Amino acid sequence: KALKASEAGPPAKKDAKDRGLEGQFGTGDDSPMGKCLGAVASELSRLSRALKNHPGGEKLAAVVEWGRDTVNIFKSSPDNPRWKSAPAWDLEGLGGGGGGGAGGQGGGG
């Protein structure tokens, strides 16, 4: 005899393997991973604000903000993160010389 949905009882819980990264590590605000990612995002925000107070720091601040946004994307969607490509950057205006470019491989758009 087939059971009706009301007779079947509660759905079986998925184990961590079935729940992807969220289930294995937890990325909610109260989990250790979530707390870590939140701390990283917060520190990147502070760094970005500080960079904007220095001449030429705006481009580097944009990269830092990209990093913060990428951390937040992973925190909110660990099983299917989609991120933007890093913005172009350089250190020339900071007196450090050197240069950079659009770094990394974006996962989405």
Side-chain angles (χ1 to χ4, degrees):
K1 168 184 169 190
L3 293 176
K4 295 178 186 174
S6 61
E7 298 174 331
K13 290 185 177 181
K14 293 181 177 181
D15 64 19
K17 181 178 156 190
D18 295 332
R19 293 181 297 202
L21 291 176
E22 174 66 32
Q24 291 177 26
F25 305 111
T27 54
D29 290 337
D30 293 333
S31 71
M33 177 82 72
K35 288 178 182 178
C36 175
L37 294 173
V40 170
S42 177
E43 202 60 32
L44 290 173
S45 289
R46 290 181 57 218
L47 177 58
S48 173
R49 283 192 302 273
L51 286 168
K52 288 178 181 178
N53 291 326
H54 293 279
E58 295 81 19
K59 285 186 179 181
L60 197 50
V63 175
V64 171
E65 290 169 355
W66 167 80
R68 178 206 56 213
D69 293 346
T70 302
V71 166
N72 285 328
I73 287 168
F74 180 75
K75 183 178 174 186
S76 67
S77 183
D79 291 325
N80 190 24
R82 304 213 25 102
W83 63 95
K84 297 178 182 178
S85 295
W89 59 274
D90 66 57
L91 300 178
E92 214 157 300
L94 295 174
Q105 298 291 317

